[in-house]
Amino acid sequence: MWFFRAVAFDLDGTLALDDRISASVLAAVDAARGDRAMVLVTGRIQDHLDRDFPGLAEHFDAVVSTASGRGACTTRSTRPSTPS
């Protein structure tokens, strides 16, 4: 049993290096999901995230996108919530 109910990941410099994410990193994120929510947090604009990393959001339960310098923060849930 895990103590944490959610795990948040930064994108640039953490999951992605030189604007690329390896298949092994995505496989590790998918394998760790289980009963924990996986959250992607990035300073990229949502449209740019979807353009530069198509399908990336499908590996996460939520995406928090904060557009640097614009003060905007959006969250998009990608997995249906289930009652606890």
Side-chain angles (χ1 to χ4, degrees):
M1 173 183 243
W2 286 80
F3 176 74
F4 297 103
R5 297 194 66 165
V7 180
F9 295 91
D10 176 53
L11 178 62
D12 293 301
T14 304
L15 294 180
L17 298 174
D18 299 323
D19 282 342
R20 299 183 67 144
I21 301 175
S22 72
S24 62
V25 167
L26 292 179
V29 169
D30 291 340
R33 275 177 97 171
D35 60 350
R36 289 170 301 285
M38 302 307 238
V39 180
L40 177 64
V41 181
T42 181
R44 291 183 184 233
I45 298 169
Q46 187 69 51
D47 291 342
H48 295 185
L49 179 67
D50 293 338
R51 178 194 68 204
D52 297 340
F53 298 97
L56 177 62
E58 296 170 14
H59 297 272
F60 294 89
D61 301 298
V63 176
V64 178
S65 175
T66 59
S68 300
R70 297 194 174 142
C73 178
T74 59
T75 304
R76 176 179 65 190
S77 177
T78 58
R79 186 195 299 190
S81 60
T82 56
S84 19

